[in-house]
Amino acid sequence: ETGVTQTPRHLVMGMTNKKSLKCEQHLGHNAMYWYKQSAKKPLELMFVYSLEERVENNSVPSRFSPECPNSSHLFLHLHTLQPEDSALYLCASSQVGGTGGNEQFFGPGTRLTVL
Amino acid sequence: TQLLEQSPQFLSIQEGENLTVYCNSSSVFSSLQWYRQEPGEGPVLLVTVVTGGEVKKLKRLTFQFGDARKDSSLHITAAQPGDTGLYLCAGVMTSGTYKYIFGTGTRLKVLA
């Protein structure tokens, strides 16, 4: 139990669908992250919400849209995805500032397949 | 472009053998973390090293941070099948907001 939950765990969608991934952290952290993990590639940071400020990777296509309504919840809205977007999408949280070790706690991920 | 190269990419060894995984970069990091990821799960933090030259031990795992804080190594003594997994290093930069640069990963399989 990592304190970070993600739903759904698996998702299959067509290129014209709209879906959302959900992440919830129960650790009281003040930063949340979306990562993409593809085969044979390093973990790619997509979006960060830290202290209510959004920081994004400029190379992420606009068909991915994050939403962070509060410090415990994070969504990734998906629309008109491409087959190359198929990957494991990981959510993480951390505590920014303070005396912590900047440790990130990851959820189990959503395995996304785009047909 | 900041990059963390890990080597080897794949490693298959017999139970009881020793191994070392390397994580190298041209960038200086505030700290460096090692994670292990098992199939169907997210990465789980093993250790954070902060000081150049620091050595940390976690049972049979020994982690070292390079003196210049650009590289790190993970040494496993007497590997066991339970050590099987994907090992990821992550460099942490704390200029402004926190930034995590993940390595390319080392997939380890320990055979019984």
Side-chain angles (χ1 to χ4, degrees):
Chain A
E1 176 58 53
T2 63
V4 180
T5 58
Q6 288 187 244
T7 54
R9 293 293 307 273
H10 297 88
L11 178 61
V12 179
M13 58 187 288
M15 291 194 288
T16 58
N17 291 159
K18 289 185 181 182
K19 296 286 184 183
S20 295
L21 309 184
K22 179 183 176 182
C23 176
E24 184 173 357
Q25 60 99 356
H26 312 275
L27 302 168
H29 289 161
N30 58 12
M32 295 187 76
Y33 311 76
W34 279 118
Y35 285 91
K36 177 183 179 182
Q37 187 174 36
S38 306
K40 301 180 182 178
K41 286 186 179 180
L43 234 61
E44 176 189 353
L45 181 63
M46 300 176 72
F47 301 102
V48 181
Y49 279 86
S50 177
L51 302 173
E52 299 183 4
E53 177 186 342
R54 183 170 114 182
V55 178
E56 53 195 277
N57 182 342
N58 291 327
S59 67
V60 177
S62 59
R63 55 186 183 267
F64 294 92
S65 174
E67 179 189 359
C68 190
N70 55 60
S71 60
S72 299
H73 294 86
L74 185 64
F75 296 90
L76 187 62
H77 303 299
L78 317 171
H79 62 99
T80 58
L81 294 192
Q82 303 297 311
E84 60 263 30
D85 297 322
S86 298
L88 181 68
Y89 288 84
L90 291 162
C91 172
S93 71
S94 74
Q95 183 64 22
V96 174
T99 56
N102 309 322
E103 301 161 10
Q104 288 191 304
F105 292 81
F106 284 84
T110 294
R111 172 68 61 185
L112 173 67
T113 302
V114 182
L115 302 176
Chain B
T1 302
Q2 294 146 335
L3 193 64
L4 266 177
E5 297 277 359
Q6 278 185 244
S7 61
Q9 279 191 308
F10 301 95
L11 192 55
S12 180
I13 61 172
Q14 292 294 132
E15 182 177 3
E17 293 184 5
N18 302 333
L19 67 117
T20 302
V21 176
Y22 299 94
C23 178
N24 295 292
S25 175
S26 57
S27 300
V28 177
F29 297 108
S30 302
S31 61
L32 193 134
Q33 301 175 335
W34 284 93
Y35 293 81
R36 183 169 75 199
Q37 184 178 16
E38 299 188 20
E41 301 295 332
V44 175
L45 182 70
L46 296 174
V47 78
T48 300
V49 284
V50 180
T51 308
E54 182 178 3
V55 177
K56 278 192 175 179
K57 291 193 174 184
L58 186 66
K59 296 183 180 178
R60 294 176 293 100
L61 277 60
T62 302
F63 305 86
Q64 184 163 10
F65 202 9
D67 291 340
R69 305 206 315 277
K70 293 182 180 181
D71 55 85
S72 181
S73 63
L74 157 61
H75 183 78
I76 302 179
T77 303
Q80 298 178 1
D83 297 327
T84 294
L86 177 67
Y87 288 82
L88 299 165
C89 62
V92 184
M93 295 182 156
T94 54
S95 56
T97 187
Y98 289 111
K99 189 175 180 182
Y100 299 82
I101 310 295
F102 275 84
T104 46
T106 295
R107 194 165 296 279
L108 171 65
K109 186 169 186 178
V110 182
L111 305 169

